[in-house]
Amino acid sequence: MDGVSNASLPLPSSDRIDVAASLRGALVGADFTADGLLELLGAPAYAALARSETVPALRATRGDGALAALVRLFLLQESVPHARVADVLPVGALLESGWLAEEDGALRATVDVRPYGGPSGEDWFIVSDLGCAVGGAGGIGSREEGVVLGVGGASTTLAGITVRTPVASALDLGTGSGIQALHAAQHATRVTATDLNPRALHFTRLTLALSGAPEADLKEGSLFDPVADETYDLIVSNPPFVISPGARLTYRDGGMGGDDLCRSLVQEAGERLNEGGYAQFLANWQHVEGEDWQDRLRSWVPRGCDAWIVQREVQDITQYAELWLRDAGDHRTDPAEYAARYDAWLDEFEARGTRAVGFGWITLRKTGAAEPSITVEEWPHPVEQPLGETVQEFFERQEYLRTHDDAALLAGHFKLADEVVQEQVGLPGAEDPEHVVLRQHRGMRRATKVDTVGAGFAGVCDGSLSAGRILDAIAQLVGEDPVLLRDRTPAQIRLLVGQGFLLPVGGEA
């Protein structure tokens, strides 16, 4: 099928749920799962697929086994003799419904089917365009307008940070191949999935059916247009956030100038959330000459919402342009055409005064509080996924701090979070450390400097004594005025609570 446009290929019927169920049973029965793939291919070949390198996987599937045949058929998009899969798959039904095509006695898949392990060990399958499952046969490198991608790093990142409490309604905005809708279907009574690209909605229906998940309410249109004034308990979106000159590729280019699409998405989400609901996005934003990027993002936050915005990466404009030119395969075109496109990207950034582009996570929580909590920070360090519970606890702690003044804080009880260690930094042989660092080994894996009082306070927090009583005991030990110590310590306690080193617990002073 080399040289054939994905858009010109017929898609499998999304109405034949019986065929999807039969295919699912056959795939799981043959161990065509995330675990099965790892065992068959081995770690090096499995990892190579994520880099769009297929030679190791082709070598590992030269045998006659059923699983090897399925990997070649659905993941590597190779022709496979009819006889090799006739005993494994319901070939007749798959040909009739469009999952397979046959030519000269050999079968080819019409779509990319990639095993995907759910958070509780579920065997799921993501359906996408041929060669467009990230880590699939061809990588992305597609210049087709309506191409639909499979699982990528951005998809799994968003899935990992999403709060997974049971909800009545969830919205997956810009669903693509349906990965976020699939996750949401596990804890939402009703899931709505939207996309500007009707082909994406078709793939979402296939993904849900092949994964054995409930159907979603699929709506075509841009941003919040398809859902009118409906509200939700959870909104998630991995939007087309790329800041580019023009809108060449639907899956990545939003069609608005600069970072306007991400700004609009965030600003409009507030009125679509039910009280206590979460909206979680991936986004790009401009670093504009003469403007604080954190102030820019604070201005995006809608009224009535707390926000936590984390910048994970920053690229200068040349790195950014090169990344997305390679993504579209432009580096493989005529050098003059590539140079012209590169120039156009730099012209766009220069016109907007953009010197760099940030990437990260944006989470909103609808609270209606008169004084919202807005945290904008840079955290490029490794974290522990999944982070959904960590995100939920972050907002719960912000609510606690907002509703407790210093007196209430000192009357409160706290415990040290799990897997927090203390590090003392100083010259060898010195009697006292230069400073003390508390470090988390879970969640965001933060590290923060504290003074000796802060370290001592955190070390004895087990929930049994109020913060005030602990400080009184420390004051007696170090010979300090307890009143002064109570006056100056709440700020440090707030920092430790806000960053998750200390957790509020029940109890009376």
Side-chain angles (χ1 to χ4, degrees):
M1 291 189 183
D2 292 342
V4 178
S5 166
N6 272 309
S8 69
L9 294 173
L11 293 177
S13 171
S14 61
D15 298 327
R16 296 291 305 274
I17 302 300
D18 59 324
V19 176
S22 180
L23 174 56
R24 171 179 172 76
L27 295 178
V28 173
D31 211 17
F32 185 70
T33 62
D35 290 340
L37 250 70
L38 181 59
E39 184 174 348
L40 172 70
L41 302 179
Y46 190 79
L49 276 180
R51 303 189 298 271
S52 300
E53 296 291 348
T54 59
V55 172
L58 286 167
R59 293 173 62 87
T61 55
R62 289 183 297 193
D64 295 328
L67 179 55
L70 294 179
V71 171
R72 282 184 169 251
L73 185 66
F74 287 116
L75 264 188
L76 303 177
Q77 286 116 48
E78 295 285 312
S79 292
V80 178
H82 188 292
R84 281 199 65 184
V85 294
D87 293 334
V88 184
L89 298 177
V91 172
L94 295 177
L95 286 169
E96 180 186 354
S97 58
W99 288 89
L100 299 177
E102 186 171 16
E103 184 177 350
D104 298 328
L107 299 173
R108 271 188 177 269
T110 60
V111 290
D112 190 308
V113 176
R114 182 175 179 83
Y116 179 67
S120 299
E122 301 93 342
D123 291 318
W124 292 340
F125 301 94
I126 308 301
V127 188
S128 63
D129 269 315
L130 291 171
C132 294
V134 177
I140 301 176
S142 175
R143 308 175 77 197
E144 295 181 35
E145 166 64 20
V147 71
V148 178
L149 304 188
V151 184
S155 302
T156 55
T157 293
L158 179 58
I161 67 172
T162 300
V163 176
R164 296 296 175 194
T165 53
V167 294
S169 58
L171 170 64
D172 175 14
L173 194 152
T175 186
S177 54
I179 301 160
Q180 308 308 324
L182 178 57
H183 277 278
Q186 312 309 304
H187 64 102
T189 303
R190 176 174 61 91
V191 176
T192 301
T194 71
D195 206 289
L196 182 64
N197 183 2
R199 188 176 181 86
L201 298 177
H202 193 107
F203 274 114
T204 293
R205 186 175 284 111
L206 296 175
T207 289
L208 294 174
L210 194 57
S211 298
E215 292 189 47
D217 182 15
L218 304 179
K219 296 178 181 291
E220 181 182 342
S222 176
L223 299 180
F224 289 104
D225 291 348
V227 298
D229 57 355
E230 293 184 54
T231 58
Y232 301 88
D233 303 310
L234 174 67
I235 299 172
V236 292
S237 183
N238 177 18
F241 52 65
V242 177
I243 300 171
S244 60
R248 293 173 59 204
L249 302 174
T250 302
Y251 72 84
R252 69 169 208 193
D253 300 322
M256 296 186 184
D259 52 18
D260 283 353
L261 182 134
C262 291
R263 176 186 55 79
S264 297
L265 185 61
V266 173
Q267 290 181 337
E268 294 176 19
E271 61 188 24
R272 312 287 179 161
L273 280 176
N274 295 325
E275 191 72 15
Y278 289 91
Q280 299 187 258
F281 314 105
L282 302 184
N284 276 182
W285 44 79
Q286 297 171 114
H287 285 229
V288 178
E289 195 71 40
E291 178 184 71
D292 187 314
W293 68 270
Q294 293 182 325
D295 290 342
R296 182 182 191 85
L297 290 173
R298 286 190 186 94
S299 73
W300 290 9
V301 178
R303 295 182 62 180
C305 290
D306 288 350
W308 184 20
I309 302 173
V310 182
Q311 180 167 273
R312 296 287 289 158
E313 184 180 0
V314 182
Q315 291 185 321
D316 68 49
I317 56 174
T318 59
Q319 292 173 310
Y320 189 80
E322 290 162 14
L323 169 67
W324 295 108
L325 287 167
R326 287 194 302 272
D327 172 80
D330 289 320
H331 61 303
R332 294 192 292 267
T333 63
D334 175 72
E337 181 182 348
Y338 174 78
R341 289 195 182 278
Y342 198 153
D343 219 24
W345 282 69
L346 297 185
D347 284 344
E348 174 78 4
F349 288 135
E350 183 177 336
R352 295 183 176 276
T354 304
R355 55 182 176 81
V357 177
F359 167 82
W361 320 325
I362 298 177
T363 300
L364 308 176
R365 182 169 185 264
K366 186 70 169 286
T367 64
E371 297 182 8
S373 167
I374 300 176
T375 301
V376 183
E377 62 176 323
E378 186 165 18
W379 189 255
H381 310 294
V383 299
E384 180 191 45
Q385 284 275 35
L387 275 171
E389 188 174 340
T390 298
V391 172
Q392 181 183 357
E393 291 172 349
F394 173 88
F395 284 93
E396 290 172 350
R397 294 195 307 272
Q398 303 314 305
E399 179 69 19
Y400 175 89
L401 293 172
R402 175 167 49 215
T403 56
H404 287 70
D405 60 17
D406 285 356
L409 200 69
L410 292 174
H413 294 236
F414 304 92
K415 68 175 182 178
L416 190 66
D418 293 337
E419 296 191 43
V420 172
V421 299
Q422 175 178 305
E423 301 172 358
Q424 296 187 358
V425 181
L427 294 173
E431 184 174 346
D432 296 313
E434 292 180 23
H435 58 262
V436 178
V437 174
L438 299 182
R439 187 178 301 277
Q440 302 168 348
H441 285 279
R442 303 293 303 274
M444 292 294 286
R445 295 177 175 167
R446 295 186 186 276
T448 190
K449 290 182 183 180
V450 292
D451 60 22
T452 53
V453 170
F457 178 86
V460 298
C461 278
D462 61 4
S464 61
L465 295 175
S466 70
R469 289 186 177 180
I470 293 174
L471 290 178
D472 290 344
I474 292 175
Q476 187 173 5
L477 283 173
V478 300
E480 189 168 340
D481 185 332
V483 175
L484 294 177
L485 194 61
R486 279 175 173 253
D487 283 345
R488 69 177 176 85
T489 306
Q492 193 165 191
I493 296 175
R494 287 185 182 278
L495 173 67
L496 294 176
V497 172
Q499 294 192 347
F501 290 93
L502 293 178
L503 308 178
V505 297
E508 298 298 329

